[in-house]
Amino acid sequence: MKDLNQAATAEAGTDEAYVDKKRYFWILSVFWPATPLIGLYLVAETGWSIWYGTVLILWYLAVPLLDAMFGEDFSNPPESAVPDLEKDRYYRVLTYLTVPMHYAAMVGSCWWVATQPMNAFEFIALALSLGIVNGLALNTGHELGHKKETFDRWMAKLVLAVVGYGHFFIEHNKGHHRDVATPKDPATSRMGENIYSFATREIPGAFKRAWELEEVRLERSGKSVWSLDNEILQPLIITVVLYAGLLAFFGPIMLIFLPIQMAYGWWQLTSANYIEHYGLLREKLPNGKYEHQKPHHSWNSNHIMSNLILFHLQRHSDHHAHPTRSYQSLRDFKDLPALPSGYPGMFLAAMFPSWFRSIMDHRVMDWAKGDLNKIQIEPGMREYYDRKFGSVAPAQPTAMPAE
């Protein structure tokens, strides 16, 4: 890890007067959750139903196109500048401001559904649009949940409550980061596993692991797992109060609208987990333990546009190697396994398994230098990949060429 830090430092240089050129563009991550409200404004102004799907259009079409147009940013802040970047409250305040944006989008969308005439297409388009941005509330919860300050951790719980996925706070930090890129991790996908099969083990597996981890923690403190000290129950209570309030104010239609947006919100996290470690495997050591996770155990993306609306989530490799490092300080490294597009484009591809495998399988093989034994493979698919690639194909000159 020390060598990686030195490499990143050498690449970035040691300019004391470093200026973050994306400093004010990070505000896009704050306004992204408000996109459903922008769509409703456009519907009100134009009367065109297509704007109910504003988020869907932006997420699956416009952002991938902008990623292709603007390309990737491989630059890193010099290590000498990182302490100041980490202390700069501007960056943290942006994550705080994102939390009320999610609540505003939720309440505004629910009010519209309850008061405006809508056909089934419009209703579903708005529910899915809200589901995307609320699902990405997990991104804000992800950033804040890794911090040590009590206020930050409660803000993480508040934003995770919007989509009813509060157990992510425990599951991701204590479970996924421990087991990532091993067969023990339900949030690591296997090569040849489609996203629909993955979801059936990832969603229940993640909750089960979170509950077990919290139960162990509370038992060590002599407390009941059903006490209010349970950090899974805390955001769950907020979700129940929030959804009950929306049902009371806006009526029975919420019994349909809220579950749809929640389910599609959960799908966003499943999509992220699916693409972030697809096929990757940490080496098992002679003592039976797995090697310490390194940046090359996560798929990375330096695509500019999607990173700007996701608080740099896509620099996932450095995040896993250094979980407490804030988004503005995350680095790229040479020869990381790299996604060919940002998360929106990859989420779309993942919904079409054959297309996704055609994009990713050969990249996994390049990462493993052609050795199928170094890859996590879906049970029942090993013979298929033996026929397609051979057990040990010729090694590639680099682990992952940048695209």
Side-chain angles (χ1 to χ4, degrees):
M1 200 62 64
K2 182 179 179 182
D3 291 340
L4 287 171
N5 287 336
Q6 290 173 343
T9 301
E11 237 180 290
T14 56
D15 183 7
E16 295 290 342
Y18 171 76
V19 175
D20 179 8
K21 295 180 180 179
K22 293 181 284 191
R23 179 181 177 88
Y24 297 107
F25 288 103
W26 294 120
I27 294 173
L28 291 172
S29 290
V30 178
F31 288 107
W32 170 250
T35 313
L37 300 181
I38 296 172
L40 295 179
Y41 172 78
L42 292 172
V43 170
E45 289 296 307
T46 67
W48 295 355
S49 295
I50 192 172
W51 298 122
Y52 283 110
T54 296
V55 179
L56 297 169
I57 295 167
L58 291 174
W59 184 247
Y60 291 121
L61 295 175
V63 176
L65 286 174
L66 290 171
D67 273 341
M69 289 171 57
F70 295 152
E72 300 178 74
D73 174 17
F74 299 98
S75 65
N76 293 327
E79 284 302 299
S80 59
V82 169
D84 287 337
L85 282 173
E86 292 288 326
K87 289 187 293 186
D88 190 336
R89 294 295 292 175
Y90 166 80
Y91 295 101
R92 190 72 60 87
V93 168
L94 291 185
T95 61
Y96 298 157
L97 292 175
T98 307
V99 177
M101 284 290 192
H102 282 286
Y103 278 85
M106 171 74 97
V107 174
S109 296
C110 290
W111 170 82
W112 185 280
V113 167
T115 61
Q116 305 299 314
M118 302 175 72
N119 61 38
F121 166 80
E122 296 165 344
F123 183 91
I124 293 172
L126 180 57
L128 296 181
S129 290
L130 183 64
I132 288 177
V133 297
N134 278 349
L136 295 172
L138 292 156
N139 182 42
T140 304
H142 175 260
E143 178 69 23
L144 292 170
H146 276 291
K147 301 301 179 279
K148 297 178 180 179
E149 294 84 349
T150 300
F151 180 78
D152 289 22
R153 294 167 72 82
W154 269 104
M155 290 294 277
K157 293 172 189 177
L158 277 171
V159 77
L160 292 171
V162 172
V163 73
Y165 214 95
H167 61 280
F168 177 80
F169 182 82
I170 299 298
E171 200 291 313
H172 178 82
N173 294 8
K174 298 180 181 179
H176 177 59
H177 270 264
R178 180 192 66 193
D179 299 333
V180 66
T182 73
K184 297 188 293 183
D185 184 26
T188 294
S189 60
R190 308 159 181 148
M191 187 166 80
E193 180 179 28
N194 68 61
I195 192 171
Y196 305 102
S197 174
F198 173 69
T200 64
R201 69 180 182 89
E202 181 253 355
I203 294 174
F207 183 84
K208 181 175 181 289
R209 180 166 61 182
W211 189 264
E212 289 172 350
L213 287 166
E214 191 63 354
E215 187 172 26
V216 169
R217 183 186 73 85
L218 290 167
E219 282 180 356
R220 287 174 178 168
S221 302
K223 298 175 182 177
S224 168
V225 72
W226 296 106
S227 73
L228 290 179
D229 291 304
N230 186 322
E231 293 191 298
I232 297 174
L233 295 181
Q234 290 168 1
L236 179 59
I237 291 170
I238 298 171
T239 299
V240 170
V241 172
L242 172 64
Y243 281 38
L246 293 171
L247 177 62
F249 274 97
F250 300 123
I253 192 66
M254 294 295 104
L255 294 173
I256 302 173
F257 184 73
L258 291 176
I260 293 174
Q261 67 84 30
M262 177 188 280
Y264 208 56
W266 287 26
W267 183 253
Q268 304 316 303
L269 176 63
T270 292
S271 299
N273 281 335
Y274 180 72
I275 69 171
E276 284 170 348
H277 309 281
Y278 178 78
L280 304 183
L281 179 64
R282 285 151 58 190
E283 182 182 353
K284 197 167 189 177
L285 304 175
N287 63 7
K289 296 182 179 180
Y290 288 93
E291 64 175 313
H292 186 74
Q293 60 180 285
K294 300 180 178 68
H296 67 264
H297 292 123
S298 304
W299 290 97
N300 204 57
S301 172
N302 289 302
H303 291 85
I304 295 171
M305 188 63 216
S306 47
N307 265 315
L308 287 175
I309 64 172
L310 294 174
F311 284 128
H312 238 170
L313 173 66
Q314 301 172 151
R315 280 201 168 175
H316 209 62
S317 297
D318 194 23
H319 165 70
H320 263 276
H322 304 92
T324 59
R325 184 176 281 244
S326 299
Y327 66 92
Q328 68 272 18
S329 305
L330 292 174
R331 300 158 297 176
D332 178 53
F333 300 102
K334 287 184 177 180
D335 299 329
L336 287 176
L339 297 172
S341 182
Y343 281 20
M346 297 308 298
F347 283 17
L348 178 63
M351 289 192 282
F352 303 91
S354 294
W355 181 24
F356 184 82
R357 287 199 299 269
S358 72
I359 294 170
M360 291 301 299
D361 284 0
H362 69 92
R363 288 179 165 84
V364 179
M365 288 299 294
D366 287 345
W367 172 85
K369 296 181 170 61
D371 189 349
L372 286 171
N373 296 314
K374 295 181 178 179
I375 297 170
Q376 283 204 71
I377 299 175
E378 173 73 352
M381 293 291 288
R382 177 61 190 250
E383 289 186 11
Y384 166 79
Y385 285 119
D386 276 333
R387 292 194 303 270
K388 184 173 182 178
F389 295 115
S391 181
V392 181
Q396 300 298 314
T398 58
M400 179 55 55
E403 293 191 14

